[in-house]
Amino acid sequence: MELRTLKTFVAVATLKSFSAAARELHTVQPAISRQIADLEAELGVSLLWRNTREVRVTAPGEALLEEAKRMLALEVQARKRVALAASGQTGTLRIGYMSSACASFVPSLMRDFAAQHPDVTLVLHEMTAQQQLDAFAREEIDVGLSRPLPMELRETLTALPMYEDELMVVVPEGHRLARRKRLALRELSHEDFVLFQRDQATGLFDHIISACGDAGFSPRITRQPALMQTLLSEVAAGLGLAIAPACIRRLQCDGCHFITLRPALGAVPLELHYPSTPSRPVIEAFVTLVETAIPAIRAQMA
Amino acid sequence: MELRTLKTFVAVATLKSFSAAARELHTVQPAISRQIADLEAELGVSLLWRNTREVRVTAPGEALLEEAKRMLALEVQARKRVALAASGQTGTLRIGYMSSACASFVPSLMRDFAAQHPDVTLVLHEMTAQQQLDAFAREEIDVGLSRPLPMELRETLTALPMYEDELMVVVPEGHRLARRKRLALRELSHEDFVLFQRDQATGLFDHIISACGDAGFSPRITRQPALMQTLLSEVAAGLGLAIAPACIRRLQCDGCHFITLRPALGAVPLELHYPSTPSRPVIEAFVTLVETAIPAIRAQMA
DNA sequence: ATGACTCATGCCGATAGAGCATCAATTACT
DNA sequence: AGTAATTGATGCTCTATCGGCATGAGTCAT
């Protein structure tokens, strides 16, 4: 039993004529006769009662007709679903992101993607860069928005730079440097520092440490909070200064001043990460959308 | 897209191996590779991501997998339904019958058939012989239980004699003949007659009229009821005598006496009628059942 | 009675597909 | 590290299937 055969059977049963079915299927009548005869032989049943003047559908024929129609309907549905899935317009997209760096543009990105792919379920997971790495390994997320990841993973994960955050100094209100417009890093050599946990943002942490080294000192670290919001609170409480990406200005931050570094440290990029081996079309569709959205995001974050 | 192709696709996607699928399907691995490649070419998408060590199902592949499984399930269901329909174990059987002649054995017949064919819906229509004829013409019933039908229909309808009813004389209580054990037809030549409508039972009516003719008289007909029950009431009311098949003794009949005719008139058979052109297996199954039940029915009606 | 139509059948040729051998790539086991 | 084994891909040949043509047989209408 093949779909091809079933198509001709449905045509014959519907048109009640072998010849008419042949015309409709762009073939000749003997081909139809053969297919029906073979089908009947295979099932061991007469499906169509026919003489030279009339074609009738037998009871088993009626039964087969129903099921055949369902199967053929499933075929066109299958084609549609495959096409949808292939263009990434179906399925689930799981996104890991850091709210500190992404809160301002992620919502509009989601809105645009949902508009283009209404049948895709979006799942957002707030997580640090390290958590995103683990999640990629466990295949719990499809794309991630974070700072650059360790080099050894560049093979399995592809990185797309989105925008860059300058590093700024965060000082509490009333601090001796709080009124300054700009600072050089070396001026901070004797300060206490509050730095984001190395575990949670290895790249950023190491970047700052090595910059301090270049400036001729090794920072004295008093606190290592896990959340950006905690970091700001601790700075405001006077536990130390922080060096952090400019984006955290957008968080609630009473009692904190943000001061530009001059000469500037290397800016830290925010990247979109996704599996290098092309896995699912939804992912590619999302990457494409992000690529087109990059100019707008850069303008917004400048 | 063919069911054969889909079977191999499902096998590969399930086993996650081309070679294993080949073994399962009793063919060789290159055949599998070709089928999958052709299917992908036809749909214009990659369904299986594969290298020499690993086979993964892509997003479109997952979509197709679901639909393919449904289609294959429908195929086995179709085979089952066709087999059921072919053995007459499914569908609807519409039966026309005359309660006067059949009330005593139809119920047990229905019970036996329903036991053998639990998935067949039985529809019973109480109707006279004439109504059954019309119903056959309109294809509203599949089989009919009635007295013999006009000869001209013997081609389209086949008749299976089931049992025979002797004709008896029905006289009201208190009638001058009511005490007699047996009568000759000629003794009734000056009686009034109540006969069943010719429209509704042409064969029976003509049979009686010609018998009277043979006996040397033409019956004076005073009433022509349409229902057997009415006929009995009218006889009981003294409107005339009736000649009717013995089976009506089984109806409620206070005030009526049934008297054997001697010499006997030709007995009237009760027949099962069904389309001569083999149409649906359910019908054949019912005919077969009736054939086996005939001895029991004859014993019951004797 | 003949012609126009139906579906069935015999034959031929093209072609799709199975099977074999082989290749390239990766893993596992020495 | 090197070899053996296994994976899927590819090129080839051969066969069986199937479409198309010609034709036959049966039915209906003119």
Side-chain angles (χ1 to χ4, degrees), chain A residues 4 26-28 30-31 34-35 38 51-53:
Chain A
R4 203 188 141 57
H26 307 105
T27 180
V28 293
R34 293 303 181 90
Q35 287 188 45
D38 290 351
N51 58 23
T52 55
R53 209 63 199 171

mmCIF file of all heavy atoms in Angstrom, chain A residues 4 26-28 30-31 34-35 38 51-53, chain D residues 18-29:
data_model
loop_
_atom_site.group_PDB
_atom_site.id
_atom_site.type_symbol
_atom_site.label_atom_id
_atom_site.label_comp_id
_atom_site.label_asym_id
_atom_site.label_seq_id
_atom_site.Cartn_x
_atom_site.Cartn_y
_atom_site.Cartn_z
ATOM 1 N N ARG A 4 0.816 6.762 -3.434
ATOM 2 C CA ARG A 4 0.530 6.914 -4.846
ATOM 3 C C ARG A 4 -0.713 6.109 -5.224
ATOM 4 O O ARG A 4 -1.654 6.619 -5.824
ATOM 5 C CB ARG A 4 1.743 6.363 -5.604
ATOM 6 C CG ARG A 4 1.936 6.850 -6.934
ATOM 7 C CD ARG A 4 3.079 6.035 -7.574
ATOM 8 N NE ARG A 4 2.730 5.793 -8.935
ATOM 9 C CZ ARG A 4 2.473 6.784 -9.771
ATOM 10 N NH1 ARG A 4 2.547 8.027 -9.354
ATOM 11 N NH2 ARG A 4 2.131 6.543 -10.997
ATOM 12 N N HIS A 26 -3.306 12.665 -14.928
ATOM 13 C CA HIS A 26 -2.370 12.818 -16.049
ATOM 14 C C HIS A 26 -1.658 11.526 -16.388
ATOM 15 O O HIS A 26 -0.442 11.488 -16.533
ATOM 16 C CB HIS A 26 -1.354 13.930 -15.760
ATOM 17 C CG HIS A 26 -1.990 15.218 -15.370
ATOM 18 N ND1 HIS A 26 -1.990 15.668 -14.069
ATOM 19 C CD2 HIS A 26 -2.704 16.130 -16.060
ATOM 20 C CE1 HIS A 26 -2.651 16.816 -14.003
ATOM 21 N NE2 HIS A 26 -3.097 17.110 -15.188
ATOM 22 N N THR A 27 -2.420 10.482 -16.496
ATOM 23 C CA THR A 27 -1.853 9.218 -16.944
ATOM 24 C C THR A 27 -2.922 8.523 -17.790
ATOM 25 O O THR A 27 -3.915 9.148 -18.155
ATOM 26 C CB THR A 27 -1.425 8.346 -15.753
ATOM 27 O OG1 THR A 27 -0.876 7.143 -16.233
ATOM 28 C CG2 THR A 27 -2.601 8.042 -14.836
ATOM 29 N N VAL A 28 -2.715 7.257 -18.100
ATOM 30 C CA VAL A 28 -3.661 6.554 -18.972
ATOM 31 C C VAL A 28 -4.479 5.562 -18.165
ATOM 32 O O VAL A 28 -4.099 5.178 -17.064
ATOM 33 C CB VAL A 28 -2.916 5.832 -20.104
ATOM 34 C CG1 VAL A 28 -2.286 6.838 -21.038
ATOM 35 C CG2 VAL A 28 -1.884 4.883 -19.516
ATOM 36 N N PRO A 30 -5.194 2.276 -18.452
ATOM 37 C CA PRO A 30 -4.676 0.968 -18.020
ATOM 38 C C PRO A 30 -3.825 1.056 -16.754
ATOM 39 O O PRO A 30 -3.865 0.145 -15.923
ATOM 40 C CB PRO A 30 -3.844 0.515 -19.216
ATOM 41 C CG PRO A 30 -4.475 1.187 -20.370
ATOM 42 C CD PRO A 30 -4.901 2.534 -19.860
ATOM 43 N N ALA A 31 -3.076 2.143 -16.611
ATOM 44 C CA ALA A 31 -2.257 2.303 -15.408
ATOM 45 C C ALA A 31 -3.144 2.295 -14.170
ATOM 46 O O ALA A 31 -2.819 1.671 -13.157
ATOM 47 C CB ALA A 31 -1.466 3.608 -15.489
ATOM 48 N N ARG A 34 -4.443 -1.226 -13.423
ATOM 49 C CA ARG A 34 -3.418 -2.033 -12.769
ATOM 50 C C ARG A 34 -3.296 -1.707 -11.294
ATOM 51 O O ARG A 34 -3.265 -2.585 -10.444
ATOM 52 C CB ARG A 34 -2.060 -1.804 -13.432
ATOM 53 C CG ARG A 34 -1.973 -2.316 -14.827
ATOM 54 C CD ARG A 34 -2.304 -3.805 -14.870
ATOM 55 N NE ARG A 34 -2.189 -4.283 -16.237
ATOM 56 C CZ ARG A 34 -1.060 -4.770 -16.745
ATOM 57 N NH1 ARG A 34 -0.007 -4.851 -15.989
ATOM 58 N NH2 ARG A 34 -1.016 -5.164 -17.988
ATOM 59 N N GLN A 35 -3.201 -0.433 -11.008
ATOM 60 C CA GLN A 35 -2.996 -0.036 -9.616
ATOM 61 C C GLN A 35 -4.129 -0.530 -8.731
ATOM 62 O O GLN A 35 -3.892 -1.079 -7.648
ATOM 63 C CB GLN A 35 -2.877 1.486 -9.513
ATOM 64 C CG GLN A 35 -1.563 2.009 -10.038
ATOM 65 C CD GLN A 35 -1.398 3.487 -9.748
ATOM 66 O OE1 GLN A 35 -1.663 3.951 -8.652
ATOM 67 N NE2 GLN A 35 -0.978 4.235 -10.746
ATOM 68 N N ASP A 38 -3.907 -4.305 -8.402
ATOM 69 C CA ASP A 38 -2.813 -4.686 -7.496
ATOM 70 C C ASP A 38 -3.199 -4.432 -6.047
ATOM 71 O O ASP A 38 -2.928 -5.246 -5.159
ATOM 72 C CB ASP A 38 -1.543 -3.903 -7.855
ATOM 73 C CG ASP A 38 -0.946 -4.363 -9.190
ATOM 74 O OD1 ASP A 38 -1.426 -5.385 -9.713
ATOM 75 O OD2 ASP A 38 -0.030 -3.696 -9.695
ATOM 76 N N ASN A 51 -18.431 -2.872 -13.732
ATOM 77 C CA ASN A 51 -18.596 -3.497 -15.031
ATOM 78 C C ASN A 51 -18.227 -2.411 -16.033
ATOM 79 O O ASN A 51 -17.699 -1.371 -15.655
ATOM 80 C CB ASN A 51 -20.016 -4.027 -15.221
ATOM 81 C CG ASN A 51 -21.053 -2.928 -15.082
ATOM 82 O OD1 ASN A 51 -20.738 -1.757 -15.264
ATOM 83 N ND2 ASN A 51 -22.256 -3.311 -14.761
ATOM 84 N N THR A 52 -18.497 -2.636 -17.288
ATOM 85 C CA THR A 52 -18.008 -1.656 -18.270
ATOM 86 C C THR A 52 -18.799 -0.355 -18.219
ATOM 87 O O THR A 52 -18.441 0.607 -18.894
ATOM 88 C CB THR A 52 -18.099 -2.220 -19.690
ATOM 89 O OG1 THR A 52 -19.433 -2.641 -19.921
ATOM 90 C CG2 THR A 52 -17.154 -3.370 -19.854
ATOM 91 N N ARG A 53 -19.855 -0.327 -17.450
ATOM 92 C CA ARG A 53 -20.704 0.872 -17.502
ATOM 93 C C ARG A 53 -20.778 1.640 -16.179
ATOM 94 O O ARG A 53 -21.250 2.761 -16.142
ATOM 95 C CB ARG A 53 -22.124 0.455 -17.923
ATOM 96 C CG ARG A 53 -22.884 1.527 -18.664
ATOM 97 C CD ARG A 53 -22.177 1.855 -19.956
ATOM 98 N NE ARG A 53 -22.578 3.149 -20.497
ATOM 99 C CZ ARG A 53 -21.980 3.730 -21.530
ATOM 100 N NH1 ARG A 53 -20.951 3.152 -22.103
ATOM 101 N NH2 ARG A 53 -22.382 4.910 -21.977
ATOM 102 P P DC D 18 4.821 -1.257 -9.224
ATOM 103 O OP1 DC D 18 4.607 -0.663 -7.902
ATOM 104 O OP2 DC D 18 4.082 -2.451 -9.653
ATOM 105 O "O5'" DC D 18 4.611 -0.126 -10.316
ATOM 106 C "C5'" DC D 18 5.606 0.897 -10.458
ATOM 107 C "C4'" DC D 18 5.475 1.523 -11.831
ATOM 108 O "O4'" DC D 18 6.114 0.676 -12.816
ATOM 109 C "C3'" DC D 18 4.027 1.691 -12.293
ATOM 110 O "O3'" DC D 18 3.845 3.017 -12.730
ATOM 111 C "C2'" DC D 18 3.878 0.685 -13.419
ATOM 112 C "C1'" DC D 18 5.301 0.641 -13.965
ATOM 113 N N1 DC D 18 5.606 -0.597 -14.741
ATOM 114 C C2 DC D 18 6.445 -0.513 -15.862
ATOM 115 O O2 DC D 18 6.911 0.569 -16.194
ATOM 116 N N3 DC D 18 6.712 -1.649 -16.567
ATOM 117 C C4 DC D 18 6.185 -2.812 -16.180
ATOM 118 N N4 DC D 18 6.485 -3.898 -16.907
ATOM 119 C C5 DC D 18 5.329 -2.910 -15.041
ATOM 120 C C6 DC D 18 5.077 -1.797 -14.357
ATOM 121 P P DG D 19 2.338 3.571 -12.963
ATOM 122 O OP1 DG D 19 2.046 4.501 -11.853
ATOM 123 O OP2 DG D 19 1.435 2.441 -13.242
ATOM 124 O "O5'" DG D 19 2.516 4.429 -14.292
ATOM 125 C "C5'" DG D 19 3.676 5.236 -14.450
ATOM 126 C "C4'" DG D 19 3.998 5.423 -15.926
ATOM 127 O "O4'" DG D 19 4.459 4.162 -16.486
ATOM 128 C "C3'" DG D 19 2.809 5.855 -16.777
ATOM 129 O "O3'" DG D 19 3.250 6.797 -17.734
ATOM 130 C "C2'" DG D 19 2.345 4.561 -17.442
ATOM 131 C "C1'" DG D 19 3.649 3.794 -17.594
ATOM 132 N N9 DG D 19 3.508 2.345 -17.555
ATOM 133 C C8 DG D 19 2.824 1.617 -16.612
ATOM 134 N N7 DG D 19 2.869 0.336 -16.818
ATOM 135 C C5 DG D 19 3.629 0.203 -17.972
ATOM 136 C C6 DG D 19 4.012 -0.963 -18.683
ATOM 137 O O6 DG D 19 3.758 -2.139 -18.438
ATOM 138 N N1 DG D 19 4.781 -0.636 -19.806
ATOM 139 C C2 DG D 19 5.132 0.629 -20.182
ATOM 140 N N2 DG D 19 5.877 0.748 -21.285
ATOM 141 N N3 DG D 19 4.777 1.726 -19.519
ATOM 142 C C4 DG D 19 4.028 1.433 -18.436
ATOM 143 P P DG D 20 2.145 7.699 -18.479
ATOM 144 O OP1 DG D 20 2.714 9.057 -18.609
ATOM 145 O OP2 DG D 20 0.854 7.503 -17.801
ATOM 146 O "O5'" DG D 20 2.044 7.054 -19.937
ATOM 147 C "C5'" DG D 20 3.174 7.115 -20.791
ATOM 148 C "C4'" DG D 20 3.005 6.127 -21.918
ATOM 149 O "O4'" DG D 20 2.962 4.789 -21.385
ATOM 150 C "C3'" DG D 20 1.713 6.299 -22.734
ATOM 151 O "O3'" DG D 20 2.055 6.623 -24.068
ATOM 152 C "C2'" DG D 20 0.998 4.949 -22.618
ATOM 153 C "C1'" DG D 20 2.115 4.013 -22.208
ATOM 154 N N9 DG D 20 1.689 2.857 -21.435
ATOM 155 C C8 DG D 20 0.991 2.862 -20.255
ATOM 156 N N7 DG D 20 0.746 1.656 -19.791
ATOM 157 C C5 DG D 20 1.311 0.808 -20.733
ATOM 158 C C6 DG D 20 1.366 -0.605 -20.783
ATOM 159 O O6 DG D 20 0.900 -1.413 -19.977
ATOM 160 N N1 DG D 20 2.035 -1.057 -21.915
ATOM 161 C C2 DG D 20 2.594 -0.246 -22.876
ATOM 162 N N2 DG D 20 3.193 -0.862 -23.882
ATOM 163 N N3 DG D 20 2.550 1.071 -22.838
ATOM 164 C C4 DG D 20 1.901 1.530 -21.752
ATOM 165 P P DC D 21 0.885 7.017 -25.091
ATOM 166 O OP1 DC D 21 1.441 8.066 -25.974
ATOM 167 O OP2 DC D 21 -0.361 7.270 -24.329
ATOM 168 O "O5'" DC D 21 0.685 5.689 -25.944
ATOM 169 C "C5'" DC D 21 1.784 5.147 -26.676
ATOM 170 C "C4'" DC D 21 1.426 3.772 -27.229
ATOM 171 O "O4'" DC D 21 1.248 2.850 -26.137
ATOM 172 C "C3'" DC D 21 0.130 3.734 -28.047
ATOM 173 O "O3'" DC D 21 0.422 3.285 -29.363
ATOM 174 C "C2'" DC D 21 -0.779 2.759 -27.289
ATOM 175 C "C1'" DC D 21 0.227 1.941 -26.483
ATOM 176 N N1 DC D 21 -0.337 1.398 -25.215
ATOM 177 C C2 DC D 21 -0.370 0.018 -25.015
ATOM 178 O O2 DC D 21 0.074 -0.734 -25.886
ATOM 179 N N3 DC D 21 -0.892 -0.460 -23.846
ATOM 180 C C4 DC D 21 -1.361 0.387 -22.934
ATOM 181 N N4 DC D 21 -1.855 -0.127 -21.803
ATOM 182 C C5 DC D 21 -1.336 1.799 -23.124
ATOM 183 C C6 DC D 21 -0.823 2.263 -24.268
ATOM 184 P P DA D 22 -0.714 3.340 -30.478
ATOM 185 O OP1 DA D 22 -0.040 3.635 -31.752
ATOM 186 O OP2 DA D 22 -1.825 4.192 -30.001
ATOM 187 O "O5'" DA D 22 -1.215 1.826 -30.510
ATOM 188 C "C5'" DA D 22 -0.242 0.781 -30.547
ATOM 189 C "C4'" DA D 22 -0.941 -0.566 -30.420
ATOM 190 O "O4'" DA D 22 -1.274 -0.803 -29.013
ATOM 191 C "C3'" DA D 22 -2.244 -0.681 -31.196
ATOM 192 O "O3'" DA D 22 -2.279 -1.925 -31.871
ATOM 193 C "C2'" DA D 22 -3.334 -0.575 -30.120
ATOM 194 C "C1'" DA D 22 -2.633 -1.211 -28.922
ATOM 195 N N9 DA D 22 -3.135 -0.764 -27.625
ATOM 196 C C8 DA D 22 -3.434 0.522 -27.246
ATOM 197 N N7 DA D 22 -3.870 0.621 -26.000
ATOM 198 C C5 DA D 22 -3.851 -0.685 -25.543
ATOM 199 C C6 DA D 22 -4.205 -1.257 -24.313
ATOM 200 N N6 DA D 22 -4.652 -0.535 -23.270
ATOM 201 N N1 DA D 22 -4.075 -2.599 -24.165
ATOM 202 C C2 DA D 22 -3.625 -3.309 -25.219
ATOM 203 N N3 DA D 22 -3.262 -2.888 -26.430
ATOM 204 C C4 DA D 22 -3.407 -1.556 -26.523
ATOM 205 P P DT D 23 -3.501 -2.277 -32.855
ATOM 206 O OP1 DT D 23 -2.923 -3.099 -33.931
ATOM 207 O OP2 DT D 23 -4.252 -1.042 -33.155
ATOM 208 O "O5'" DT D 23 -4.415 -3.211 -31.959
ATOM 209 C "C5'" DT D 23 -3.803 -4.213 -31.126
ATOM 210 C "C4'" DT D 23 -4.803 -4.746 -30.122
ATOM 211 O "O4'" DT D 23 -4.945 -3.821 -29.014
ATOM 212 C "C3'" DT D 23 -6.222 -4.967 -30.662
ATOM 213 O "O3'" DT D 23 -6.502 -6.346 -30.639
ATOM 214 C "C2'" DT D 23 -7.115 -4.179 -29.713
ATOM 215 C "C1'" DT D 23 -6.228 -4.054 -28.483
ATOM 216 N N1 DT D 23 -6.576 -2.940 -27.570
ATOM 217 C C2 DT D 23 -6.871 -3.222 -26.271
ATOM 218 O O2 DT D 23 -6.850 -4.345 -25.816
ATOM 219 N N3 DT D 23 -7.195 -2.134 -25.497
ATOM 220 C C4 DT D 23 -7.257 -0.818 -25.899
ATOM 221 O O4 DT D 23 -7.555 0.069 -25.119
ATOM 222 C C5 DT D 23 -6.940 -0.586 -27.284
ATOM 223 C C7 DT D 23 -6.972 0.800 -27.828
ATOM 224 C C6 DT D 23 -6.616 -1.635 -28.044
ATOM 225 P P DG D 24 -7.877 -6.910 -31.264
ATOM 226 O OP1 DG D 24 -7.534 -8.064 -32.106
ATOM 227 O OP2 DG D 24 -8.665 -5.793 -31.820
ATOM 228 O "O5'" DG D 24 -8.614 -7.442 -29.951
ATOM 229 C "C5'" DG D 24 -7.883 -8.196 -28.967
ATOM 230 C "C4'" DG D 24 -8.755 -8.394 -27.738
ATOM 231 O "O4'" DG D 24 -8.745 -7.176 -26.950
ATOM 232 C "C3'" DG D 24 -10.223 -8.692 -28.061
ATOM 233 O "O3'" DG D 24 -10.693 -9.769 -27.255
ATOM 234 C "C2'" DG D 24 -10.950 -7.395 -27.725
ATOM 235 C "C1'" DG D 24 -10.068 -6.813 -26.622
ATOM 236 N N9 DG D 24 -10.134 -5.351 -26.565
ATOM 237 C C8 DG D 24 -9.871 -4.467 -27.572
ATOM 238 N N7 DG D 24 -10.019 -3.228 -27.221
ATOM 239 C C5 DG D 24 -10.410 -3.289 -25.892
ATOM 240 C C6 DG D 24 -10.722 -2.256 -24.981
ATOM 241 O O6 DG D 24 -10.717 -1.037 -25.179
ATOM 242 N N1 DG D 24 -11.078 -2.766 -23.735
ATOM 243 C C2 DG D 24 -11.120 -4.094 -23.406
ATOM 244 N N2 DG D 24 -11.488 -4.386 -22.166
ATOM 245 N N3 DG D 24 -10.833 -5.069 -24.246
ATOM 246 C C4 DG D 24 -10.486 -4.596 -25.466
ATOM 247 P P DA D 25 -12.039 -10.495 -27.697
ATOM 248 O OP1 DA D 25 -11.737 -11.937 -27.709
ATOM 249 O OP2 DA D 25 -12.607 -9.833 -28.895
ATOM 250 O "O5'" DA D 25 -13.008 -10.184 -26.475
ATOM 251 C "C5'" DA D 25 -12.515 -10.239 -25.135
ATOM 252 C "C4'" DA D 25 -13.515 -9.564 -24.211
ATOM 253 O "O4'" DA D 25 -13.327 -8.126 -24.275
ATOM 254 C "C3'" DA D 25 -14.976 -9.820 -24.602
ATOM 255 O "O3'" DA D 25 -15.731 -10.047 -23.426
ATOM 256 C "C2'" DA D 25 -15.390 -8.529 -25.288
ATOM 257 C "C1'" DA D 25 -14.569 -7.510 -24.517
ATOM 258 N N9 DA D 25 -14.301 -6.286 -25.257
ATOM 259 C C8 DA D 25 -13.903 -6.153 -26.559
ATOM 260 N N7 DA D 25 -13.736 -4.916 -26.950
ATOM 261 C C5 DA D 25 -14.035 -4.175 -25.822
ATOM 262 C C6 DA D 25 -14.059 -2.784 -25.562
ATOM 263 N N6 DA D 25 -13.746 -1.868 -26.496
ATOM 264 N N1 DA D 25 -14.394 -2.374 -24.339
ATOM 265 C C2 DA D 25 -14.715 -3.298 -23.411
ATOM 266 N N3 DA D 25 -14.733 -4.624 -23.528
ATOM 267 C C4 DA D 25 -14.377 -4.997 -24.767
ATOM 268 P P DG D 26 -17.222 -10.689 -23.539
ATOM 269 O OP1 DG D 26 -17.277 -11.824 -22.607
ATOM 270 O OP2 DG D 26 -17.576 -10.839 -24.969
ATOM 271 O "O5'" DG D 26 -18.127 -9.518 -22.929
ATOM 272 C "C5'" DG D 26 -17.903 -9.075 -21.599
ATOM 273 C "C4'" DG D 26 -18.506 -7.697 -21.422
ATOM 274 O "O4'" DG D 26 -17.847 -6.763 -22.324
ATOM 275 C "C3'" DG D 26 -20.004 -7.607 -21.741
ATOM 276 O "O3'" DG D 26 -20.667 -7.068 -20.614
ATOM 277 C "C2'" DG D 26 -20.090 -6.681 -22.951
ATOM 278 C "C1'" DG D 26 -18.824 -5.852 -22.797
ATOM 279 N N9 DG D 26 -18.320 -5.274 -24.031
ATOM 280 C C8 DG D 26 -17.913 -5.939 -25.170
ATOM 281 N N7 DG D 26 -17.504 -5.133 -26.118
ATOM 282 C C5 DG D 26 -17.651 -3.857 -25.567
ATOM 283 C C6 DG D 26 -17.373 -2.582 -26.132
ATOM 284 O O6 DG D 26 -16.927 -2.319 -27.257
ATOM 285 N N1 DG D 26 -17.669 -1.559 -25.238
ATOM 286 C C2 DG D 26 -18.162 -1.739 -23.969
ATOM 287 N N2 DG D 26 -18.384 -0.632 -23.265
ATOM 288 N N3 DG D 26 -18.428 -2.912 -23.435
ATOM 289 C C4 DG D 26 -18.152 -3.929 -24.295
ATOM 290 P P DT D 27 -22.270 -7.190 -20.532
ATOM 291 O OP1 DT D 27 -22.588 -7.566 -19.147
ATOM 292 O OP2 DT D 27 -22.760 -7.994 -21.679
ATOM 293 O "O5'" DT D 27 -22.723 -5.684 -20.766
ATOM 294 C "C5'" DT D 27 -22.283 -4.692 -19.839
ATOM 295 C "C4'" DT D 27 -22.656 -3.316 -20.382
ATOM 296 O "O4'" DT D 27 -21.895 -3.033 -21.574
ATOM 297 C "C3'" DT D 27 -24.128 -3.146 -20.769
ATOM 298 O "O3'" DT D 27 -24.646 -2.003 -20.103
ATOM 299 C "C2'" DT D 27 -24.100 -2.960 -22.269
ATOM 300 C "C1'" DT D 27 -22.715 -2.338 -22.466
ATOM 301 N N1 DT D 27 -22.125 -2.498 -23.826
ATOM 302 C C2 DT D 27 -21.679 -1.379 -24.489
ATOM 303 O O2 DT D 27 -21.746 -0.260 -24.028
ATOM 304 N N3 DT D 27 -21.138 -1.627 -25.740
ATOM 305 C C4 DT D 27 -21.008 -2.862 -26.350
ATOM 306 O O4 DT D 27 -20.510 -2.965 -27.474
ATOM 307 C C5 DT D 27 -21.495 -3.983 -25.597
ATOM 308 C C7 DT D 27 -21.405 -5.354 -26.175
ATOM 309 C C6 DT D 27 -22.027 -3.761 -24.372
ATOM 310 P P DC D 28 -26.256 -1.872 -19.950
ATOM 311 O OP1 DC D 28 -26.524 -1.642 -18.515
ATOM 312 O OP2 DC D 28 -26.928 -2.952 -20.693
ATOM 313 O "O5'" DC D 28 -26.523 -0.499 -20.715
ATOM 314 C "C5'" DC D 28 -25.747 0.650 -20.386
ATOM 315 C "C4'" DC D 28 -25.743 1.625 -21.554
ATOM 316 O "O4'" DC D 28 -24.988 1.059 -22.648
ATOM 317 C "C3'" DC D 28 -27.135 1.943 -22.105
ATOM 318 O "O3'" DC D 28 -27.359 3.335 -21.999
ATOM 319 C "C2'" DC D 28 -27.095 1.462 -23.563
ATOM 320 C "C1'" DC D 28 -25.593 1.450 -23.851
ATOM 321 N N1 DC D 28 -25.190 0.456 -24.889
ATOM 322 C C2 DC D 28 -24.468 0.894 -26.012
ATOM 323 O O2 DC D 28 -24.183 2.097 -26.105
ATOM 324 N N3 DC D 28 -24.095 -0.020 -26.954
ATOM 325 C C4 DC D 28 -24.423 -1.301 -26.794
ATOM 326 N N4 DC D 28 -24.041 -2.155 -27.740
ATOM 327 C C5 DC D 28 -25.159 -1.761 -25.668
ATOM 328 C C6 DC D 28 -25.520 -0.854 -24.743
ATOM 329 P P DA D 29 -28.795 3.937 -22.326
ATOM 330 O OP1 DA D 29 -29.091 4.958 -21.301
ATOM 331 O OP2 DA D 29 -29.736 2.821 -22.572
ATOM 332 O "O5'" DA D 29 -28.533 4.685 -23.713
ATOM 333 C "C5'" DA D 29 -27.399 5.548 -23.844
ATOM 334 C "C4'" DA D 29 -27.291 6.062 -25.268
ATOM 335 O "O4'" DA D 29 -26.747 5.013 -26.110
ATOM 336 C "C3'" DA D 29 -28.624 6.460 -25.897
ATOM 337 O "O3'" DA D 29 -28.461 7.628 -26.683
ATOM 338 C "C2'" DA D 29 -29.002 5.263 -26.752
ATOM 339 C "C1'" DA D 29 -27.636 4.736 -27.191
ATOM 340 N N9 DA D 29 -27.622 3.290 -27.414
ATOM 341 C C8 DA D 29 -28.232 2.340 -26.644
ATOM 342 N N7 DA D 29 -28.045 1.111 -27.090
ATOM 343 C C5 DA D 29 -27.266 1.277 -28.231
ATOM 344 C C6 DA D 29 -26.728 0.360 -29.157
ATOM 345 N N6 DA D 29 -26.905 -0.951 -29.074
ATOM 346 N N1 DA D 29 -26.000 0.865 -30.174
ATOM 347 C C2 DA D 29 -25.819 2.191 -30.253
ATOM 348 N N3 DA D 29 -26.275 3.143 -29.440
ATOM 349 C C4 DA D 29 -26.993 2.614 -28.441
#
